[in-house]
Amino acid sequence: MRAEDGDRAATGAIIATVAGGATAMIAGGALAGSALAAVCVYVLAYRRGVHGYRLVLVGIGVNAILLAVNSYLLTRANINDAATAAAWLTGSLGGRGREHAVPVALALAVLLPLCVPLSRPMRMMEMGDDAAAAMGIKVQRVRGCAMAVAVALCGVATAAAGPVAFVALTAPQLARRLTRSPGVTLVASR
């Protein structure tokens, strides 16, 4: 998943904020928004399987719609809720403590081991779906699992710190350079 995942999770968080939610409710809204948006993207992109370009294009379209929903919700909220949501939308680790780090650490302990078996099939999929399928990779299953793990990881990060888009864009590239790996560095980039 990419930088727009934070925007997708933000819709759920803004809805929770406008509903007068506490910090835990906002985090839950971010996770739910991320998951629901990913399901929508997957369902809309599905046509005899999900292919990379269609998935990206549908994701961009859903992201544009959700950005419009975010703006609409902010204009209709009362001023205090809108200010809280706008502050959350900037994304920051300021004011975060142990109570925020423990749930993220638990989620990472569960989700990062799921990335390890996906690394090899993802490298094979870099050559294209047909070539990967010829090598015995179940492309649709691997793509679905990778999406689920990526959405969960992005949702957890966004729930904890808000949508920090710059980090989402640079993390995979930094991980690739730090690990000197030519392929997909799923564990290191999360």
Side-chain angles (χ1 to χ4, degrees), residues 8 26 32-33 67 93-94 181:
R8 294 172 187 165
I26 294 170
L67 283 174
L93 290 174
S181 173

Side-chain angles (χ1 to χ4, degrees), residues 17-169:
T17 302
V18 170
T23 303
M25 188 172 168
I26 294 170
L31 287 170
S34 180
L36 286 173
V39 168
C40 287
V41 168
Y42 194 84
V43 167
L44 291 171
Y46 191 86
R47 182 179 296 155
R48 285 181 270 136
V50 175
H51 301 285
Y53 292 118
R54 187 179 307 127
L55 188 68
V56 169
L57 290 174
V58 170
I60 290 169
V62 168
N63 185 54
I65 291 169
L66 291 177
L67 283 174
V69 169
N70 292 351
S71 297
Y72 176 77
L73 289 172
L74 286 175
T75 60
R76 295 297 177 196
N78 73 42
I79 190 71
N80 293 329
D81 290 340
T84 301
W88 186 84
L89 283 172
T90 60
S92 173
L93 290 174
R96 300 294 188 248
R98 184 178 303 259
E99 66 276 3
H100 297 97
V102 170
V104 172
L106 292 174
L108 288 175
V110 171
L111 294 170
L112 282 181
L114 298 176
C115 290
V116 175
L118 292 172
S119 292
R120 185 174 180 277
M122 294 285 288
R123 282 199 181 121
M124 300 298 167
M125 288 171 55
E126 286 180 354
M127 293 185 284
D129 291 354
D130 294 333
M135 289 186 278
I137 304 297
K138 298 192 183 327
V139 174
Q140 295 303 319
R141 189 173 80 186
V142 170
R143 185 172 284 132
C145 291
M147 263 188 72
V149 171
V151 166
L153 285 167
C154 289
V156 166
T158 303
V164 185
F166 181 76
V167 173
L169 292 172

